[in-house]
Coordinates of all heavy atoms in Angstrom, one line a residue:
K1 N 2.3 -10.2 16.0 CA 2.6 -9.2 14.9 C 2.4 -9.8 13.5 O 2.8 -10.9 13.3 CB 4.1 -8.8 15.1 CG 4.6 -7.7 14.2 CD 5.9 -7.2 14.6 CE 6.7 -6.5 13.6 NZ 6.4 -5.7 12.5
M2 N 1.7 -9.1 12.7 CA 1.4 -9.6 11.3 C 2.6 -9.6 10.5 O 3.4 -8.7 10.5 CB 0.2 -8.7 10.8 CG -0.9 -8.7 11.4 SD -2.1 -10.0 11.1 CE -3.6 -9.5 11.8
P3 N 2.7 -10.6 9.6 CA 3.7 -10.6 8.6 C 3.5 -9.5 7.5 O 2.3 -9.1 7.3 CB 3.6 -11.9 7.9 CG 2.1 -12.3 8.1 CD 1.7 -11.8 9.5
L4 N 4.5 -9.0 7.0 CA 4.5 -7.9 6.0 C 4.1 -8.5 4.7 O 4.5 -9.6 4.4 CB 5.8 -7.1 6.0 CG 6.0 -6.0 7.0 CD1 7.4 -5.6 7.0 CD2 5.0 -4.8 6.9
V5 N 3.3 -7.8 4.0 CA 3.1 -8.2 2.5 C 4.3 -8.2 1.7 O 5.1 -7.2 1.8 CB 2.1 -7.2 1.9 CG1 1.9 -7.5 0.4 CG2 0.7 -7.3 2.6
D6 N 4.6 -9.3 0.9 CA 5.7 -9.4 0.0 C 5.3 -8.9 -1.2 O 4.2 -9.1 -1.7 CB 6.2 -10.7 0.0 CG 7.6 -10.8 -0.8 OD1 7.5 -10.6 -2.1 OD2 8.6 -11.1 -0.2
A7 N 6.0 -8.0 -1.9 CA 5.6 -7.5 -3.2 C 5.5 -8.5 -4.3 O 4.9 -8.1 -5.3 CB 6.7 -6.4 -3.6
K8 N 6.0 -9.7 -3.9 CA 5.8 -10.7 -5.0 C 4.6 -11.6 -4.6 O 4.2 -12.6 -5.5 CB 7.1 -11.6 -5.0 CG 8.3 -11.1 -5.4 CD 9.4 -11.9 -5.6 CE 10.8 -11.2 -5.8 NZ 11.3 -10.5 -4.4
D9 N 3.8 -11.4 -3.6 CA 2.6 -12.0 -3.4 C 1.7 -11.9 -4.6 O 1.6 -10.7 -5.2 CB 1.9 -11.6 -2.0 CG 2.7 -12.0 -0.8 OD1 3.6 -12.8 -0.8 OD2 2.3 -11.5 0.3
P10 N 0.8 -12.8 -4.9 CA 0.0 -12.7 -6.0 C -1.0 -11.4 -5.9 O -1.1 -10.6 -6.9 CB -1.0 -14.0 -5.9 CG 0.1 -15.0 -5.3 CD 0.8 -14.2 -4.3
Q11 N -1.5 -11.3 -4.7 CA -2.4 -10.1 -4.5 C -1.6 -8.8 -4.6 O -2.2 -7.8 -5.1 CB -3.1 -10.1 -3.1 CG -3.8 -9.0 -2.6 CD -5.3 -8.9 -3.4 OE1 -5.5 -9.4 -4.4 NE2 -6.2 -8.2 -2.7
A12 N -0.3 -8.9 -4.1 CA 0.5 -7.5 -4.3 C 0.7 -7.3 -5.7 O 0.7 -6.1 -6.2 CB 1.8 -7.9 -3.5
L13 N 1.1 -8.3 -6.5 CA 1.3 -8.2 -8.0 C 0.0 -7.7 -8.6 O 0.1 -6.9 -9.5 CB 1.8 -9.5 -8.6 CG 3.2 -9.9 -8.2 CD1 3.4 -11.4 -8.6 CD2 4.3 -9.0 -8.7
A14 N -1.1 -8.2 -8.3 CA -2.4 -7.9 -8.9 C -2.7 -6.5 -8.7 O -3.3 -5.7 -9.6 CB -3.5 -8.7 -8.4
L15 N -2.3 -5.9 -7.5 CA -2.6 -4.4 -7.2 C -1.5 -3.5 -7.4 O -1.6 -2.3 -7.2 CB -3.1 -4.5 -5.8 CG -4.5 -5.1 -5.4 CD1 -4.6 -5.1 -3.9 CD2 -5.6 -4.3 -6.1
G16 N -0.4 -4.1 -7.7 CA 0.8 -3.2 -8.0 C 1.4 -2.7 -6.7 O 2.0 -1.6 -6.7
Y17 N 1.2 -3.4 -5.5 CA 1.6 -3.1 -4.3 C 3.2 -3.1 -4.2 O 3.8 -4.0 -4.7 CB 1.2 -4.0 -3.1 CG 1.8 -3.7 -1.8 CD1 1.3 -2.7 -1.0 CD2 2.8 -4.4 -1.3 CE1 1.9 -2.4 0.2 CE2 3.4 -4.2 -0.1 CZ 3.0 -3.2 0.7 OH 3.6 -2.9 1.9
V18 N 3.9 -2.0 -3.6 CA 5.2 -1.9 -3.4 C 5.3 -1.4 -1.9 O 4.5 -0.7 -1.4 CB 5.9 -1.1 -4.4 CG1 6.1 -1.7 -5.6 CG2 5.2 0.3 -4.5
S19 N 6.5 -1.8 -1.3 CA 6.7 -1.5 0.2 C 7.1 0.0 0.3 O 7.2 0.5 1.4 CB 7.5 -2.4 0.8 OG 8.8 -2.5 0.3
D20 N 7.5 0.6 -0.9 CA 8.0 2.0 -0.9 C 7.2 2.7 -2.1 O 7.5 2.2 -3.2 CB 9.4 2.0 -1.0 CG 10.0 3.4 -1.1 OD1 9.2 4.4 -1.1 OD2 11.3 3.6 -1.0
A21 N 6.4 3.7 -1.8 CA 5.6 4.3 -2.8 C 6.6 5.0 -4.0 O 6.1 5.0 -5.1 CB 4.8 5.5 -2.3
A22 N 7.8 5.1 -3.6 CA 8.7 5.7 -4.5 C 8.9 4.6 -5.7 O 9.3 5.0 -6.9 CB 10.0 6.1 -4.0
Q23 N 8.7 3.4 -5.4 CA 8.9 2.3 -6.3 C 7.6 2.0 -7.2 O 7.6 1.1 -8.0 CB 9.4 1.0 -5.7 CG 10.6 1.1 -4.8 CD 11.8 1.7 -5.5 OE1 12.1 1.3 -6.7 NE2 12.5 2.7 -5.0
A24 N 6.6 2.7 -6.9 CA 5.3 2.4 -7.7 C 5.5 2.5 -9.2 O 6.2 3.5 -9.6 CB 4.3 3.4 -7.2
D25 N 4.8 1.6 -9.9 CA 5.1 1.7 -11.4 C 4.0 2.7 -12.0 O 2.9 2.5 -12.3 CB 4.6 0.3 -11.9 CG 4.9 0.2 -13.5 OD1 5.1 1.2 -14.1 OD2 4.9 -0.9 -13.9
K26 N 4.6 4.0 -12.1 CA 3.8 5.1 -12.4 C 3.5 5.1 -13.8 O 2.5 5.8 -14.3 CB 4.5 6.5 -11.9 CG 4.7 6.5 -10.5 CD 5.4 7.8 -10.1 CE 5.8 7.9 -8.6 NZ 7.0 6.9 -8.2
A27 N 4.3 4.4 -14.6 CA 3.9 4.3 -16.0 C 2.6 3.4 -16.3 O 1.7 3.8 -17.1 CB 5.1 3.7 -16.8
K28 N 2.5 2.4 -15.5 CA 1.4 1.5 -15.6 C 0.3 2.0 -14.8 O -0.9 1.9 -15.3 CB 1.9 0.2 -14.9 CG 0.8 -0.9 -14.9 CD 1.3 -2.3 -14.5 CE 0.1 -3.4 -14.6 NZ 0.6 -4.7 -14.1
Y29 N 0.5 2.6 -13.6 CA -0.7 3.1 -12.8 C -0.6 4.8 -13.1 O -0.1 5.5 -12.1 CB -0.4 2.7 -11.4 CG -0.5 1.3 -11.3 CD1 0.6 0.6 -11.0 CD2 -1.6 0.6 -11.4 CE1 0.7 -0.8 -10.9 CE2 -1.8 -0.8 -11.4 CZ -0.5 -1.5 -11.0 OH -0.6 -2.9 -10.9
K30 N -1.2 5.1 -14.1 CA -1.3 6.6 -14.3 C -2.0 7.4 -13.5 O -2.1 8.7 -13.5 CB -1.6 6.8 -15.8 CG -0.7 6.2 -16.8 CD -1.1 6.5 -18.2 CE -0.3 5.6 -19.3 NZ 1.2 5.6 -19.1
N31 N -2.8 6.7 -12.6 CA -3.6 7.4 -11.6 C -2.9 7.8 -10.4 O -3.4 8.2 -9.4 CB -4.9 6.6 -11.2 CG -4.5 5.3 -10.6 OD1 -3.4 4.7 -10.8 ND2 -5.5 4.7 -9.9
F32 N -1.6 7.4 -10.3 CA -0.7 7.6 -9.1 C -0.8 9.1 -8.8 O -0.5 10.1 -9.5 CB 0.8 7.2 -9.4 CG 1.7 7.4 -8.2 CD1 1.7 6.3 -7.2 CD2 2.3 8.6 -7.9 CE1 2.5 6.5 -6.2 CE2 3.1 8.8 -6.8 CZ 3.1 7.8 -5.9
V33 N -1.1 9.3 -7.5 CA -1.3 10.7 -6.9 C 0.1 11.0 -6.2 O 0.6 10.2 -5.2 CB -2.3 10.8 -6.0 CG1 -2.4 12.2 -5.3 CG2 -3.7 10.5 -6.7
A34 N 0.8 12.0 -6.5 CA 2.0 12.4 -5.7 C 1.8 12.5 -4.3 O 0.8 13.1 -3.8 CB 2.5 13.7 -6.3
G35 N 2.7 11.8 -3.5 CA 2.6 11.9 -2.2 C 1.7 10.8 -1.5 O 1.7 10.7 -0.2
S36 N 1.1 10.1 -2.4 CA 0.1 9.0 -1.9 C 0.9 7.8 -1.3 O 2.0 7.5 -1.9 CB -0.9 8.5 -2.9 OG -0.3 7.9 -4.0
H37 N 0.5 7.3 -0.2 CA 1.1 6.1 0.4 C 0.2 5.4 1.4 O -0.9 6.1 1.7 CB 2.5 6.3 1.0 CG 2.5 7.4 2.1 ND1 2.5 8.7 1.8 CD2 2.4 7.3 3.4 CE1 2.4 9.4 2.9 NE2 2.5 8.6 3.8
C38 N 0.4 4.2 1.8 CA -0.6 3.6 2.6 C -1.0 4.3 3.9 O -2.2 4.3 4.1 CB 0.0 2.2 3.1 SG 0.2 1.0 1.8
A39 N 0.0 5.0 4.6 CA -0.5 5.8 5.7 C -1.5 6.8 5.5 O -2.1 7.2 6.4 CB 0.7 6.3 6.5
N40 N -1.6 7.3 4.3 CA -2.6 8.4 4.0 C -3.7 7.9 3.0 O -4.4 8.6 2.5 CB -2.1 9.7 3.5 CG -1.3 9.6 2.1 OD1 -1.5 8.6 1.4 ND2 -0.4 10.6 1.9
C41 N -3.8 6.6 3.2 CA -4.9 5.9 2.4 C -6.2 5.6 3.3 O -6.0 5.3 4.4 CB -4.4 4.5 1.7 SG -5.7 3.6 1.0
A42 N -7.3 5.7 2.6 CA -8.5 5.5 3.4 C -8.7 4.1 4.0 O -9.3 3.9 5.0 CB -9.7 5.9 2.5
L43 N -7.9 3.2 3.3 CA -8.1 1.8 3.8 C -7.1 1.4 4.9 O -7.1 0.3 5.4 CB -8.0 0.9 2.5 CG -9.2 0.7 1.6 CD1 -9.5 1.9 1.0 CD2 -9.1 -0.4 0.7
F44 N -6.2 2.2 5.1 CA -5.0 1.8 6.1 C -5.6 1.8 7.5 O -6.3 2.7 8.0 CB -3.9 2.9 6.1 CG -2.7 2.7 6.8 CD1 -1.8 1.6 6.7 CD2 -2.3 3.5 7.9 CE1 -0.7 1.3 7.3 CE2 -1.2 3.2 8.8 CZ -0.5 2.1 8.5
Q45 N -5.3 0.7 8.2 CA -5.8 0.5 9.5 C -4.7 0.6 10.5 O -4.1 -0.2 11.0 CB -6.4 -1.0 9.6 CG -7.7 -1.1 8.7 CD -8.1 -2.6 8.6 OE1 -7.2 -3.5 8.7 NE2 -9.3 -2.8 8.3
G46 N -4.4 1.9 10.8 CA -3.4 2.3 11.7 C -3.3 3.7 11.9 O -4.1 4.4 11.3
Q47 N -2.4 4.2 12.7 CA -2.2 5.4 12.9 C -1.2 6.1 12.0 O -0.4 5.4 11.4 CB -1.7 5.8 14.4 CG -2.5 5.3 15.5 CD -3.9 5.8 15.5 OE1 -4.1 7.0 15.3 NE2 -4.9 4.9 15.6
A48 N -1.3 7.4 11.8 CA -0.5 8.0 10.8 C 1.0 7.9 11.1 O 1.9 7.8 10.2 CB -0.8 9.5 10.6
S49 N 1.2 7.7 12.5 CA 2.7 7.6 12.8 C 3.2 6.1 12.8 O 4.4 5.9 13.1 CB 2.7 8.2 14.2 OG 1.9 7.5 15.0
D50 N 2.3 5.1 12.6 CA 2.7 3.7 12.5 C 3.6 3.5 11.3 O 3.4 4.2 10.2 CB 1.4 2.8 12.5 CG 0.7 2.9 13.8 OD1 1.2 3.3 14.8 OD2 -0.5 2.4 13.8
T51 N 4.5 2.5 11.4 CA 5.4 2.2 10.3 C 4.6 1.1 9.4 O 5.1 1.0 8.4 CB 6.8 1.7 10.7 OG1 6.5 0.6 11.7 CG2 7.5 2.8 11.5
E52 N 3.7 0.4 10.1 CA 3.0 -0.6 9.2 C 1.6 -0.6 9.8 O 1.4 -0.3 10.9 CB 3.8 -2.0 9.3 CG 3.9 -2.5 10.6 CD 4.6 -3.8 10.6 OE1 5.9 -3.7 10.5 OE2 4.1 -4.8 10.9
G53 N 0.6 -1.3 9.0 CA -0.7 -1.4 9.6 C -1.5 -2.4 8.7 O -1.0 -2.7 7.6
G54 N -2.7 -2.6 9.1 CA -3.5 -3.6 8.4 C -4.1 -2.8 7.1 O -4.1 -1.6 7.1
C55 N -4.6 -3.7 6.1 CA -5.3 -3.2 5.0 C -6.3 -4.3 4.7 O -5.9 -5.4 4.5 CB -4.4 -3.1 3.9 SG -5.3 -2.6 2.3
P56 N -7.6 -4.0 4.4 CA -8.6 -5.1 4.3 C -8.3 -5.9 2.8 O -8.9 -6.9 2.7 CB -9.9 -4.3 4.2 CG -9.4 -2.8 4.0 CD -8.2 -2.6 4.6
L57 N -7.5 -5.1 2.0 CA -7.1 -5.9 0.7 C -6.1 -7.0 0.9 O -5.8 -7.8 0.1 CB -6.7 -4.9 -0.3 CG -7.8 -3.7 -0.6 CD1 -7.1 -2.9 -1.8 CD2 -9.1 -4.4 -1.0
F58 N -5.5 -7.0 2.1 CA -4.3 -8.0 2.3 C -4.6 -8.6 3.7 O -4.0 -8.3 4.7 CB -3.0 -7.2 2.4 CG -2.6 -6.7 1.0 CD1 -2.8 -5.6 0.7 CD2 -2.0 -7.7 0.1 CE1 -2.5 -5.0 -0.5 CE2 -1.6 -7.1 -1.2 CZ -1.9 -5.8 -1.4
P59 N -5.7 -9.3 3.9 CA -6.1 -10.0 5.2 C -4.9 -10.8 5.7 O -4.3 -11.5 5.1 CB -7.3 -10.9 4.8 CG -7.6 -10.7 3.4 CD -6.6 -9.8 2.7
G60 N -4.7 -10.6 7.2 CA -3.8 -11.4 7.8 C -2.4 -10.9 7.6 O -1.5 -11.5 8.2
K61 N -2.2 -9.7 7.0 CA -0.9 -9.3 6.8 C -0.9 -7.7 7.1 O -1.9 -7.1 7.3 CB -0.3 -9.5 5.3 CG -0.2 -11.0 5.0 CD 0.5 -11.3 3.8 CE 0.8 -12.7 3.7 NZ 1.3 -13.2 2.5
H62 N 0.3 -7.2 7.2 CA 0.5 -5.8 7.2 C 1.0 -5.0 6.0 O 1.9 -5.8 5.3 CB 1.4 -5.4 8.5 CG 0.6 -5.2 9.7 ND1 1.2 -4.9 10.9 CD2 -0.7 -5.2 10.0 CE1 0.2 -4.8 11.9 NE2 -0.9 -5.0 11.3
V63 N 0.6 -3.9 5.7 CA 1.3 -3.1 4.7 C 2.2 -2.2 5.3 O 2.1 -1.7 6.4 CB 0.3 -2.5 3.7 CG1 -0.5 -3.6 3.0 CG2 -0.5 -1.5 4.4
A64 N 3.2 -1.7 4.6 CA 4.2 -0.7 5.0 C 3.5 0.6 5.0 O 2.8 1.0 4.0 CB 5.5 -0.7 4.3
A65 N 3.7 1.6 6.0 CA 3.1 2.8 5.9 C 3.5 3.6 4.7 O 2.8 4.4 4.2 CB 3.4 3.6 7.3
K66 N 4.8 3.4 4.3 CA 5.3 4.1 3.1 C 4.9 3.4 1.8 O 5.5 3.8 0.8 CB 6.6 4.6 3.3 CG 7.6 3.4 3.4 CD 9.1 3.9 3.5 CE 10.1 2.8 3.5 NZ 11.5 3.3 3.6
G67 N 4.2 2.2 2.0 CA 3.9 1.5 0.7 C 2.9 2.0 -0.1 O 2.4 3.3 0.2
W68 N 2.4 1.5 -1.1 CA 1.5 1.9 -2.1 C 0.9 0.8 -2.7 O 1.6 -0.2 -3.1 CB 2.1 3.0 -3.0 CG 1.1 3.6 -3.9 CD1 0.4 4.7 -3.8 CD2 0.7 3.2 -5.3 NE1 -0.5 5.0 -4.8 CE2 -0.2 4.1 -5.8 CE3 1.2 2.0 -6.0 CZ2 -0.8 3.9 -7.1 CZ3 0.5 1.9 -7.4 CH2 -0.4 2.9 -7.8
C69 N -0.4 0.9 -3.2 CA -1.0 0.0 -4.3 C -1.9 0.8 -5.1 O -2.3 1.9 -4.7 CB -1.6 -1.3 -3.6 SG -3.3 -1.0 -3.2
S70 N -2.4 0.2 -6.2 CA -3.2 0.9 -7.2 C -4.7 1.1 -6.7 O -5.5 1.8 -7.3 CB -3.4 0.2 -8.5 OG -3.8 -1.2 -8.2
A71 N -5.1 0.5 -5.4 CA -6.3 0.8 -4.8 C -6.4 2.0 -3.9 O -7.2 2.3 -3.3 CB -6.8 -0.5 -4.2
W72 N -5.2 2.7 -3.9 CA -5.1 3.8 -2.9 C -6.2 4.8 -3.1 O -6.7 5.1 -4.3 CB -3.7 4.6 -3.2 CG -3.7 5.9 -2.3 CD1 -3.1 5.7 -1.0 CD2 -4.1 7.1 -2.5 NE1 -3.0 7.0 -0.4 CE2 -3.7 7.8 -1.3 CE3 -4.7 7.8 -3.4 CZ2 -3.8 9.2 -1.3 CZ3 -4.9 9.2 -3.4 CH2 -4.5 9.9 -2.2
A73 N -6.8 5.3 -2.0 CA -7.9 6.3 -2.1 C -7.6 7.2 -1.0 O -7.2 6.7 0.1 CB -9.3 5.5 -1.7
K74 N -7.8 8.4 -1.2 CA -7.4 9.5 -0.2 C -8.3 9.4 1.0 O -9.5 9.3 1.1 CB -7.7 10.9 -0.8 CG -7.2 12.1 0.0 CD -7.5 13.4 -0.7 CE -7.3 14.6 0.0 NZ -6.0 14.7 0.7
K75 N -7.5 9.4 2.1 CA -8.2 9.4 3.4 C -9.0 10.7 3.7 O -8.5 11.8 3.3 CB -7.0 9.2 4.7 CG -7.6 9.0 5.9 CD -6.5 9.0 7.0 CE -5.6 8.0 7.1 NZ -6.0 6.8 7.7
A76 N -10.2 10.5 4.1 CA -11.1 11.7 4.2 C -10.5 12.7 5.3 O -9.9 12.3 6.3 CB -12.4 11.3 4.6
Ligands
SF4_101 FE1 -1.9 0.5 1.0 FE2 -4.3 1.7 0.5 FE3 -3.3 -0.1 -1.2 FE4 -4.0 -0.8 1.3 S1 -5.5 -0.1 -0.3 S2 -2.2 -1.4 0.2 S3 -3.6 0.9 2.6 S4 -2.5 2.0 -0.7

Protein backbone atom coordinates (compact mmCIF):
# COMPACT_ATOMS: atom_id res chain seq x y z
CA LYS A 1 0.00 0.00 0.00
CA MET A 2 1.36 3.40 -0.98
CA PRO A 3 1.98 6.07 1.66
CA LEU A 4 -0.38 9.02 1.51
CA VAL A 5 0.94 12.39 0.41
CA ASP A 6 1.54 14.69 3.36
CA ALA A 7 0.32 18.25 2.81
CA LYS A 8 3.73 19.43 4.07
CA ASP A 9 5.68 17.54 1.39
CA PRO A 10 7.53 20.01 -0.88
CA GLN A 11 5.61 18.87 -3.95
CA ALA A 12 2.33 19.17 -2.04
CA LEU A 13 3.19 22.69 -0.95
CA ALA A 14 4.22 23.61 -4.50
CA LEU A 15 0.88 22.43 -5.87
CA GLY A 16 -1.29 23.53 -2.97
CA TYR A 17 -2.30 19.91 -2.31
CA VAL A 18 -4.61 19.28 0.62
CA SER A 19 -6.11 15.95 1.69
CA ASP A 20 -9.56 17.57 1.90
CA ALA A 21 -10.65 19.82 -0.97
CA ALA A 22 -12.62 21.88 1.54
CA GLN A 23 -9.24 23.06 2.87
CA ALA A 24 -7.99 24.25 -0.53
CA ASP A 25 -6.63 27.80 -0.48
CA LYS A 26 -9.30 29.32 -2.69
CA ALA A 27 -7.91 32.83 -2.22
CA LYS A 28 -4.57 31.75 -3.67
CA TYR A 29 -6.01 29.35 -6.24
CA LYS A 30 -8.75 31.40 -7.83
CA ASN A 31 -9.22 28.73 -10.50
CA PHE A 32 -10.73 26.42 -7.86
CA VAL A 33 -13.78 24.71 -9.32
CA ALA A 34 -16.59 23.99 -6.87
CA GLY A 35 -16.90 20.26 -6.31
CA SER A 36 -13.46 19.47 -7.68
CA HIS A 37 -11.38 16.85 -5.88
CA CYS A 38 -8.89 14.12 -6.75
CA ALA A 39 -11.47 11.43 -7.47
CA ASN A 40 -12.97 13.52 -10.29
CA CYS A 41 -9.61 14.71 -11.63
CA ALA A 42 -8.33 13.44 -14.97
CA LEU A 43 -5.01 12.51 -13.37
CA PHE A 44 -6.47 10.34 -10.57
CA GLN A 45 -5.43 6.71 -10.94
CA GLY A 46 -8.24 4.92 -9.22
CA GLN A 47 -11.95 4.24 -9.28
CA ALA A 48 -14.41 6.93 -8.30
CA SER A 49 -15.34 4.81 -5.26
CA ASP A 50 -11.74 4.51 -4.00
CA THR A 51 -10.78 6.50 -0.90
CA GLU A 52 -7.27 7.06 -2.29
CA GLY A 53 -5.33 6.48 -5.47
CA GLY A 54 -2.24 7.30 -7.46
CA CYS A 55 -1.44 10.58 -9.17
CA PRO A 56 1.43 11.01 -11.64
CA LEU A 57 2.36 14.29 -9.93
CA PHE A 58 3.11 12.37 -6.72
CA PRO A 59 5.10 9.28 -7.77
CA GLY A 60 5.23 6.50 -5.21
CA LYS A 61 2.44 7.95 -3.12
CA HIS A 62 -1.32 8.08 -2.97
CA VAL A 63 -3.54 11.12 -2.86
CA ALA A 64 -6.82 11.20 -0.98
CA ALA A 65 -9.91 10.82 -3.17
CA LYS A 66 -11.37 13.90 -1.48
CA GLY A 67 -8.07 15.78 -1.77
CA TRP A 68 -7.27 18.56 -4.20
CA CYS A 69 -4.34 20.36 -5.81
CA SER A 70 -3.95 23.28 -8.19
CA ALA A 71 -3.24 20.94 -11.14
CA TRP A 72 -6.80 19.57 -10.96
CA ALA A 73 -8.29 18.99 -14.41
CA LYS A 74 -11.81 17.79 -15.10
CA LYS A 75 -12.06 14.09 -15.85
CA ALA A 76 -13.44 13.63 -19.35
FE1 LIG B 1 -5.45 15.24 -7.05
FE2 LIG B 1 -5.58 15.74 -9.65
FE3 LIG B 1 -3.97 17.19 -8.10
FE4 LIG B 1 -3.39 14.66 -8.64
S1 LIG B 1 -3.48 16.36 -10.12
S2 LIG B 1 -3.28 15.65 -6.62
S3 LIG B 1 -5.41 13.70 -8.70
S4 LIG B 1 -6.22 17.13 -8.01
